[in-house]
């Protein structure tokens, strides 16, 4: 240590004599006198001189469509601004308290350094003599070490005692002199004011000004600037939030220094000293957990963790988000968010005693942009009534959920039927009720004869399906079966189409389980929606129909920009045509049935002013989950009401001020909520009609049902197929007739059901068929 002191002392003495430190120059070897001076010169010139100033960590901002801030993720709450956006009085205050000769020296203040050296030699302690430039060097070195994860180097950068302290001082001298040769005084001051810690987790003057006073640094007045300048030296002891008296005392010291340096008048100083701190502490929504839109925010964050432009690994991407000063422009529309929030919580109150949950999500057709989401809970990692971290609307990391989708899944069978060439006005067979559900209600029985592909039934397996609505056996228009949500008709349809074909269409339109895996291959999952998915996946699939068959991967982010304004690429699949525009138009026409059919399951949810819409209800067996998913060409909304915490049926319960007797269906709560949300969200938006399908898709070619009585099932099936019809029913034995009967005129591609019998009998027409039976399952609604 003595050697270091000697070298430093000789260096300073020699430099002061030659006046070179004051000029900001490196001391040349020539001209130095004495062995100690020559040694100091050699030591000084041997130190590294180039200081690398890395980009500063600063907060990122996640923004809504109106520019409001959703959250500001950060490791260090810093907002970098140019010196032109920092009030001149703030610049003066910092110079006054830290380095009054800042504009005179060349990075090292010989007077201050010499004075400190004498004091340190006598007292044995290290007295500070740092210039503002040296302090800037110190925080830059510390910041760089922390970014490398080198805590030892970070501690060394601020070491103030012993040999280490003197060596640090000497190195900082060299860096400071070098820095002053490369940067202007204003550039150094700008860097310093953006870098320093100003207490209470605020870094840099802009973040501190906004935090302590709720104003930008450009608007700071004398007393505010003096307070911020004063907190820098001892931020832990003088920040105004935790130590207001110390902060005020330190502020007044800064004001006094400014007065002594003639930066302010006596009157200005007196007035500023007498003023209160005048804090207006503003807490930024740093994390998603504290955001007003917590669930959406975490959805955004999880989506960003999949973006390669932010880093190679999720860890790197998170660090970039928390330190890179990114601007994340999302598709969140605060007005739509408010609509969802109000409607959900009015109809299904937060923490209701019935323990019923609800959520909704809005997606823009043709872009996949998620515009709003909400649920009747408050974000919390602790849990409790009405509190959860689980996102009910969209997959969000581990904290996501899915629910059985019910009859809203029937849309995919409709699409597949049209893809296979069935006319819009085609019929589907409603089978007879030859069995019973577990609850004892009438049911149709399906076997491997119909469901014989890889997504079907085992050779001896039987599957019973009941209906909530009355449905006579025989042919029924697909439009009617959709409006009334006839389960048995759709089971027949899916079996004829091939359950795996329908499942493939689901996957292409984005309907998956919450983890992204395809819906599991079983008739119940494919026909009745027994498997789980999310409101987002359902909404986006319906949006595909509304967008003319164009599937767009759902996303919550419009753009990502770096702090310098450069736009980063977004990794997302391009929108693609997964079904033809004609098929989409035909499906849309059929999907008006739930709303427009006289017996439609959501006939009371028609949109205001005759606005065109499509949609489908869904009610899972035992009513543990109910849905309505619907769309206009501009907006798609999915609404879920059900149980997230149990399998208890939604039956005979009170929600808010209203009591619901019996089972709750998709048309009971979800559909009216959907209507209210859509009416409000689309208020003032021009009405747009769906594209019309070509007339060739509507009626199709008319053909005559041939007579097949007395034929084997194989022969009968072949004859119907030759006529352009789709056979259903028995695959073995002798056929007694068909429904519709022989000679009937039907659309080409229609389903004709074979009837089993040991001997030929007259074909039975629909009018002579078995009378309708009510088939409400005792255990609850199956559709």
């Amino acid at each position: 240590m003595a050697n270091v002191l000697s070298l430093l002392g000789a260096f300073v003495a020699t430099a002061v004599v030659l006046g070179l430190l004051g000029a900001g120059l490196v001391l040349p070897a020539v001209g130095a006198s004495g062995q100690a001076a020559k040694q100091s010169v050699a030591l000084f010139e041997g130190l590294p001189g180039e200081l690398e100033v890395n980009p500063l960590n600063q907060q990122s901002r996640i923004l809504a469509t109106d520019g409001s801030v959703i959250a500001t993720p950060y490791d260090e709450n810093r907002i970098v601004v140019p010196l032109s956006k920092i009030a001149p009085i703030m610049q003066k205050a910092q110079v006054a308290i830290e380095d009054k000769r800042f504009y005179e020296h060349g990075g090292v203040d010989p007077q201050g350094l010499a004075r400190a050296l004498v004091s340190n030699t006598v007292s044995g302690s290290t007295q500070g003599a740092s210039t503002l430039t040296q302090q800037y060097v110190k925080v830059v070195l510390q910041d760089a070490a922390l970014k490398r994860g080198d805590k030892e180097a970070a501690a060394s950068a601020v070491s103030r005692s012993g040999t280490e302290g003197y060596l640090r001082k000497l190195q900082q001298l060299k860096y400071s002199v070098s820095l002053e040769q490369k940067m202007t005084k204003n550039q150094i001051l700008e860097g310093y004011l953006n870098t320093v810690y100003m207490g209470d987790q605020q870094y840099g003057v802009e973040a501190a000004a906004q935090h302590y006073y709720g104003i930008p640094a450009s608007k700071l007045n004398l007393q505010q600037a003096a307070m911020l300048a004063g907190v820098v030296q001892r931020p832990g002891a003088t920040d105004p939030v935790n130590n207001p008296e110390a902060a005020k005392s330190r502020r007044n010291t800064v004001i006094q220094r400014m007065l002594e340096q003639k930066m302010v008048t006596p009157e200005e100083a007196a007035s500023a000293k007498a003023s209160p701190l005048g804090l207006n502490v503003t807490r930024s929504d740093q994390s998603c957990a504290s955001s007003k839109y917590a669930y959406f925010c975490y959805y955004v964050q999880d989506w960003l963790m999949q973006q390669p432009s932010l880093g190679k690994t999720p860890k790197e991407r998170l660090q970039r988000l928390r330190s890179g000063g990114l601007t994340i422009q999302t598709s969140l529309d605060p007005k739509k968010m408010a609509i969802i929030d109000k409607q959900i919580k009015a109809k299904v109150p937060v923490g209701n005693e019935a323990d019923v949950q609800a959520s909704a999500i809005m997606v823009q057709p043709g872009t996949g942009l998620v515009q709003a989401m909400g649920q009747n809970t408050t974000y919390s990692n602790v849990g409790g009534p009405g509190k959860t971290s689980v996102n009910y609307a969209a997959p969000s990391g581990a904290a996501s959920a899915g629910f059985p989708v019910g009859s809203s899944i029937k849309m995919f069978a409709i699409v597949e039927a049209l893809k296979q060439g069935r006319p819009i006005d085609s019929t589907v067979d409603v089978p007879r009720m030859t069995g019973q559900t577990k609850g004892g209600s009438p049911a149709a029985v399906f076997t491997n004869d119909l469901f014989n592909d890889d997504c079907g039934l085992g050779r001896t397996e039987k599957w019973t399906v009941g209906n909530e609505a009355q449905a006579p056996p025989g042919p029924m228009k697909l439009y009617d079966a959709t409006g009334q949500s006839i389960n048995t008709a759709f089971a027949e349809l899916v079996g004829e189409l091939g359950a795996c074909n329908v499942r493939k269409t689901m996957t292409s339109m984005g309907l998956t389980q919450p983890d992204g895996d395809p819906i599991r291959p079983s008739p119940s999952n494919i026909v009745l929606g027994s498997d789980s998915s999310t409101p987002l996946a359902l909404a986006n699939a319906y949006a595909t129909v509304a967008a003319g068959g164009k599937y767009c991967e759902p996303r919550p982010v419009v753009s990502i920009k770096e702090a310098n304004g450069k736009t980063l690429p977004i990794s997302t699949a391009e929108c693609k045509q997964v079904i033809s525009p004609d098929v989409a138009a035909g499906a849309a026409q059929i999907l008006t049935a739930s709303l427009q059919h006289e017996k439609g399951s959501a006939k009371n949810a028609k949109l205001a002013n005759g606005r065109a819409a499509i949609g489908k209800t869904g009610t899972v067996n035992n009513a543990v989950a109910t849905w309505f998913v619907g769309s206009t060409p501009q907006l798609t909304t999915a609404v879920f009401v059900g149980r997230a915490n149990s399998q208890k049926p939604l039956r005979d319960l009170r929600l808010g001020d209203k009591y619901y007797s019996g089972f709750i269906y998709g048309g009971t709560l979800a559909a009216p909520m959907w209507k209210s949300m859509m009416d409000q969200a689309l208020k003032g938006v021009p009405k747009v009609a769906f594209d019309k399908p070509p007339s060739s898709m509507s009626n199709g070619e008319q053909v005559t049902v041939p007579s097949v009585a007395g034929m084997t099932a194989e022969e009968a099936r072949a004859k119907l197929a030759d006529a352009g019809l789709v056979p259903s029913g028995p695959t073995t034995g002798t056929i007694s007739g068909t429904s519709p009967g022989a000679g009937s005129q039907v659309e080409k591609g229609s389903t004709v059901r074979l009837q089993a019998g040991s001997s030929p009998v007259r074909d039975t027409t629909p009018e002579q068929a078995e009378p309708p039976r009510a088939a409400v399952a005792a255990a609850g609604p199956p559709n």
Side-chain angles (χ1 to χ4, degrees):
M1 177 174 174
N3 184 47
V4 174
L5 282 170
S6 175
L7 293 176
L8 187 57
F11 166 72
V12 172
T14 304
V16 169
V17 170
L18 295 178
L20 295 176
L21 278 179
L25 301 176
V26 177
L27 182 65
V30 293
S33 60
Q35 185 63 29
K38 289 179 180 179
Q39 289 178 346
S40 73
V41 170
L43 175 62
F44 189 76
E45 291 189 335
L47 294 172
E50 292 297 318
L51 177 67
E52 183 178 357
V53 181
N54 295 314
L56 292 170
N57 286 351
Q58 55 179 315
Q59 64 168 230
S60 292
R61 297 189 306 152
I62 302 176
L63 305 179
T65 54
D66 63 355
S68 59
V69 177
I70 296 172
T72 55
Y74 58 75
D75 285 329
E76 296 175 0
N77 189 29
R78 178 186 286 111
I79 305 170
V80 176
V81 293
L83 196 64
S84 61
K85 292 190 176 181
I86 300 174
I89 196 68
M90 179 67 217
Q91 300 174 39
K92 292 179 180 179
Q94 202 70 63
V95 169
I97 193 62
E98 297 291 351
D99 186 1
K100 67 180 180 180
R101 286 186 287 273
F102 174 65
Y103 291 101
E104 300 168 13
H105 61 67
V108 178
D109 182 4
Q111 297 178 41
L113 187 57
R115 183 179 64 251
L117 181 65
V118 172
S119 174
N120 295 342
T121 303
V122 172
S123 66
S125 63
T126 303
Q127 184 185 96
S130 296
T131 64
L132 193 147
T133 305
Q134 287 173 268
Q135 292 181 53
Y136 178 46
V137 166
K138 179 181 67 176
V139 293
V140 166
L141 290 172
Q142 185 181 34
D143 182 71
L146 290 173
K147 284 180 178 177
R148 296 193 307 269
D150 191 342
K151 295 182 179 180
E152 185 177 343
S156 176
V158 295
S159 174
R160 296 180 59 88
S161 62
T163 303
E164 187 179 63
Y166 284 108
L167 287 172
R168 174 186 60 80
K169 180 70 71 175
L170 194 59
Q171 176 65 83
Q172 290 179 6
L173 289 174
K174 180 68 176 287
Y175 278 141
S176 298
V177 171
S178 174
L179 202 63
E180 292 259 3
Q181 292 173 339
K182 293 192 308 179
M183 297 174 66
T184 67
K185 291 290 186 179
N186 281 349
Q187 288 173 329
I188 293 170
L189 182 59
E190 176 184 300
Y192 180 80
L193 287 171
N194 277 303
T195 305
V196 292
Y197 179 55
M198 291 189 164
D200 207 31
Q201 304 305 310
Q202 308 305 308
Y203 291 81
V205 67
E206 179 69 18
Q210 292 187 18
H211 174 66
Y212 292 126
Y213 296 111
I215 59 174
S218 60
K219 302 295 184 182
L220 291 168
N221 60 27
L222 170 58
Q223 54 265 38
Q224 292 167 340
M227 193 283 293
L228 293 180
V231 82
V232 171
Q233 189 178 87
R234 297 176 63 206
T238 58
D239 85 73
V241 172
N242 299 296
N243 301 286
E245 291 304 317
K248 188 172 182 179
S249 175
R250 178 66 175 166
R251 179 201 70 178
N252 289 349
T253 297
V254 175
I255 294 170
Q256 182 61 32
R257 293 282 183 88
M258 295 177 75
L259 175 62
E260 293 168 359
Q261 296 171 40
K262 297 183 170 32
M263 293 179 176
V264 297
T265 66
E267 293 76 17
E268 289 171 333
S271 175
K273 286 181 180 180
S275 67
L277 284 176
L279 298 182
N280 179 23
V281 177
T282 303
R283 299 284 179 185
S284 63
D285 286 327
Q286 172 194 351
S287 69
C288 288
S290 61
S291 171
K292 179 181 179 181
Y293 308 116
Y295 297 106
F296 185 91
C297 183
Y298 276 115
Y299 170 53
V300 169
Q301 181 171 297
D302 289 338
W303 185 89
L304 290 171
M305 293 306 98
Q306 310 304 315
Q307 293 301 303
S309 63
L310 300 185
K312 294 181 180 180
T313 65
K315 183 178 180 181
E316 289 180 6
R317 294 162 192 165
L318 182 60
Q319 181 60 32
R320 183 80 177 277
L321 175 63
R322 295 179 62 86
S323 64
L326 303 175
T327 298
I328 314 296
Q329 179 60 64
T330 75
S331 49
L332 181 149
D333 182 336
K335 291 183 180 179
K336 290 185 174 72
M337 289 288 286
I339 290 169
I340 286 179
D341 188 70
K342 182 178 180 180
Q343 289 298 317
I344 281 182
K345 292 175 180 177
K347 297 291 179 61
V348 189
V350 175
N352 60 80
E353 292 184 1
D355 193 26
V356 176
Q357 288 72 44
S359 70
I361 195 165
M362 291 181 174
V363 176
Q364 185 180 58
T367 67
L369 291 171
V370 179
Q371 297 186 323
M373 65 172 62
Q375 57 193 64
N376 69 329
T377 60
T378 300
Y379 186 87
S380 172
N381 287 310
V382 178
K387 297 179 179 180
T388 184
S389 61
V390 178
N391 189 333
Y392 296 149
S396 184
S400 59
F403 307 97
V405 299
S407 289
S408 56
I409 207 167
K410 290 173 180 171
M411 181 266 283
F412 301 99
I414 294 168
V415 170
E416 181 60 26
L418 298 179
K419 283 172 63 179
Q420 292 190 19
R422 297 200 181 200
I424 294 169
D425 289 337
S426 63
T427 60
V428 59
D429 190 59
V430 180
R432 285 186 172 87
M433 300 295 198
T434 59
Q436 288 185 332
T437 65
K438 291 181 179 179
S441 298
V445 180
F446 296 92
T447 67
N448 178 260
D449 285 346
L450 183 63
F451 287 93
N452 50 27
D453 63 10
D454 291 340
C455 303
L457 300 168
R459 291 193 175 275
T460 61
E461 189 177 0
K462 292 184 179 181
W463 179 44
T464 57
V465 179
N467 290 322
E468 186 276 322
Q470 295 182 1
M476 173 180 275
K477 292 285 187 181
L478 184 54
Y479 178 85
D480 296 335
T482 301
Q484 298 175 69
S485 199
I486 306 301
N487 292 335
T488 56
F490 273 88
E492 185 77 26
L493 176 63
V494 170
E496 294 163 4
L497 297 171
C500 284
N501 291 331
V502 177
R503 179 173 178 258
K504 185 177 180 181
T505 291
M506 289 177 191
T507 303
S508 72
M509 296 176 71
L511 188 76
T512 64
Q513 298 179 67
D515 62 4
D517 287 343
I519 296 298
R520 287 172 289 190
S522 77
S524 180
N525 291 338
I526 296 168
V527 177
L528 300 181
S530 301
D531 209 354
S532 291
S533 190
T534 63
L536 174 59
L538 265 178
N540 203 51
Y542 275 73
T544 300
V545 173
K550 182 190 294 184
Y551 170 80
C552 298
E553 188 176 284
R555 59 189 172 99
V557 172
V558 177
S559 66
I560 306 172
K561 289 185 178 180
E562 294 182 301
N564 61 9
K566 178 184 176 182
T567 299
L568 294 177
I570 286 177
S571 177
T572 186
E574 291 187 6
C575 297
K576 58 184 177 181
Q577 200 76 34
V578 295
I579 56 176
S580 73
D582 287 349
V583 167
Q589 183 169 311
I590 294 171
L591 287 167
T592 63
S594 292
L595 296 163
Q596 300 296 334
H597 194 282
E598 62 180 359
K599 295 181 180 179
S601 56
K603 63 181 180 180
N604 295 323
K606 300 180 187 70
L607 295 185
N609 303 314
R611 188 184 293 272
I614 63 173
K616 183 70 187 72
T617 53
T619 306
V620 178
N621 193 38
N622 275 347
V624 295
T626 68
W627 299 81
F628 191 83
V629 189
S631 184
T632 68
Q634 305 109 309
L635 183 64
T636 307
T637 300
V639 179
F640 160 81
V641 179
R643 302 280 192 190
N645 305 317
S646 72
Q647 294 295 302
K648 188 177 179 181
L650 299 181
R651 183 177 188 178
D652 300 329
L653 50 84
R654 180 176 296 280
L655 293 172
D657 296 331
K658 189 168 183 179
Y659 180 77
Y660 296 88
S661 178
F663 283 107
I664 287 179
Y665 302 105
T668 307
L669 267 172
M673 288 164 65
W674 172 87
K675 170 182 166 55
S676 296
M677 292 174 190
M678 292 289 282
D679 281 344
Q680 292 180 49
L682 294 168
K683 190 175 183 178
V685 176
K687 291 190 291 185
V688 177
F690 288 93
D691 291 339
K692 295 291 184 183
S695 57
S696 60
M697 288 186 65
S698 296
N699 299 316
E701 180 184 344
Q702 296 292 304
V703 296
T704 302
V705 177
S707 175
V708 295
M711 294 182 180
T712 65
E714 184 178 1
E715 292 170 336
R717 284 176 170 272
K719 190 167 185 177
L720 290 175
D722 288 343
L725 299 170
V726 179
S728 70
T731 57
T732 59
T734 303
I735 300 305
S736 63
T738 60
S739 178
S744 301
Q745 292 292 304
V746 297
E747 300 91 353
K748 187 175 183 179
S750 291
T751 299
V752 174
R753 186 168 185 82
L754 298 172
Q755 297 173 341
S758 58
S759 60
V761 295
R762 183 172 58 85
D763 286 24
T764 303
T765 64
E767 290 74 20
Q768 297 170 311
E770 177 182 336
R773 300 188 207 172
V776 180
N783 76 308

